[in-house]
Amino acid sequence: MTVTAPAPDLLKPPVRPLGQRVFDIILWGGIATMLIVGFGPVEMEKLPLLFQNSENMRQFGRDFIRPDWSDWRLLVTQMWVTIQIALWGTTIAVVLAVPLGLLGARNVTPSYIQMPIRRVMDALRSIPDLVIGTMFVVAVGLGPFAGVMALALNTGGVLGKLFSEAVESIDKGPVEGVRATGAAPLQEIVWGVIPQVAPLWTSYALYRFESNSRAATVLGLIGAGGIGQILFDSLNSFSYGRVAAISIVIVVAVSIIDLLSQTIRSRLL
């Protein structure tokens, strides 16, 4: 049997179009240029100081590896408050994100509704938690409620964007099938859209709850309650042993939340 050799053209590697290659050069060249330009403003020249001031780092490390557990009951109690802040903040955020996600999806609402909703979500995501939290501290005083509302608004903007992108990626078939039965637009969403995006929405919400459990600790800086307030008080007083104990409590709590989230995902998704 005679074996025919492949044509020489078939052995050549595929060549990307010139336009794509130019785009890649511009993209990666732009990123490299931004890194070079940003070297000075972000003070990357201070990197050698990490090794020159090694005695300071060793002193910090010696204190940090000896956690102070004298107030462990208080730390656990305040960590539980922080988790409750994150839970309530995420729950309110989901309630906000569902209508925002549907109204901000191009395949569900017309552009004159979708575009303003997108800008609202941009604003909610752009304002830092600390700024929103400070506004609520001024309005209602110090305490966990300010932290709940700060997380709710910021996370609402983030989840709204993720929810809308999930809606935009759905299969049109089920929606058209529901529409063919004479269903109203709201029924199309309930029976054609929601069942497709519910698993992704659940995954996004669980992930943001994990993130908010960490973010809630930072809100202690403005007096929003929880373990974060004790953390910043300990840092300001250079009580690094207590800081180490607080860090361990936070890591354990977030790890438990992560395990619970994985269990919930495996049952629901």
Side-chain angles (χ1 to χ4, degrees):
M1 182 176 62
T2 303
V3 179
T4 304
D9 291 342
L10 297 178
L11 299 177
K12 294 181 179 179
V15 179
R16 300 182 65 199
L18 178 62
Q20 292 185 10
R21 285 180 287 167
V22 171
F23 177 79
D24 288 346
I25 293 173
I26 294 175
L27 175 63
W28 295 110
I31 293 174
T33 302
M34 291 176 63
L35 288 172
I36 294 171
V37 172
F39 187 90
V42 301
E43 300 180 343
M44 286 300 296
E45 67 273 7
K46 290 186 176 180
L47 183 63
L49 295 179
L50 293 176
F51 308 97
Q52 294 175 9
N53 297 334
S54 57
E55 179 56 35
N56 295 339
M57 298 294 292
R58 282 196 295 268
Q59 179 62 40
F60 177 82
R62 281 194 294 268
D63 294 339
F64 202 78
I65 61 177
R66 294 195 294 267
D68 179 8
W69 295 106
S70 57
D71 294 328
W72 68 270
R73 290 184 178 85
L74 174 64
L75 301 184
V76 173
T77 301
Q78 291 304 309
M79 187 66 231
W80 176 237
V81 173
T82 299
I83 293 174
Q84 291 173 311
I85 293 172
L87 180 61
W88 266 104
T90 306
T91 301
I92 297 174
V94 171
V95 174
L96 292 174
V98 169
L100 289 176
L102 292 171
L103 293 173
R106 288 191 296 267
N107 56 340
V108 173
T109 55
S111 59
Y112 61 84
I113 294 177
Q114 181 251 337
M115 293 300 293
I117 293 296
R118 286 277 183 163
R119 303 294 76 78
V120 170
M121 292 189 291
D122 291 343
L124 292 176
R125 291 197 312 275
S126 302
I127 303 175
D129 296 345
L130 291 176
V131 175
I132 300 177
T134 302
M135 292 168 54
F136 282 101
V137 166
V138 172
V140 301
L142 300 174
F145 180 75
V148 169
M149 296 309 299
L151 292 178
L153 294 183
N154 184 269
T155 304
V158 174
L159 287 179
K161 180 178 186 296
L162 295 174
F163 284 9
S164 65
E165 291 176 349
V167 172
E168 290 175 351
S169 64
I170 63 172
D171 182 6
K172 296 180 181 179
V175 180
E176 294 173 351
V178 174
R179 185 181 301 130
T181 65
L186 182 59
Q187 292 173 318
E188 293 178 16
I189 293 174
V190 172
W191 300 108
V193 176
I194 300 297
Q196 295 190 64
V197 299
L200 269 179
W201 283 8
T202 302
S203 181
Y204 291 149
L206 289 172
Y207 172 72
R208 287 304 305 183
F209 173 54
E210 298 171 25
S211 300
N212 286 341
S213 299
R214 297 185 294 270
T217 62
V218 180
L219 293 174
L221 178 65
I222 59 172
I227 200 169
Q229 199 160 344
I230 302 176
L231 174 61
F232 285 103
D233 290 342
S234 301
L235 285 171
N236 291 332
S237 62
F238 302 102
S239 302
Y240 294 131
R242 199 180 194 196
V243 171
I246 294 172
S247 300
I248 293 173
V249 170
I250 294 173
V251 169
V252 171
V254 172
S255 299
I256 293 174
I257 291 172
D258 180 55
L259 292 174
L260 291 175
S261 297
Q262 291 179 11
T263 303
I264 294 173
R265 286 192 187 96
S266 63
R267 294 295 180 89
L268 295 181
L269 303 183

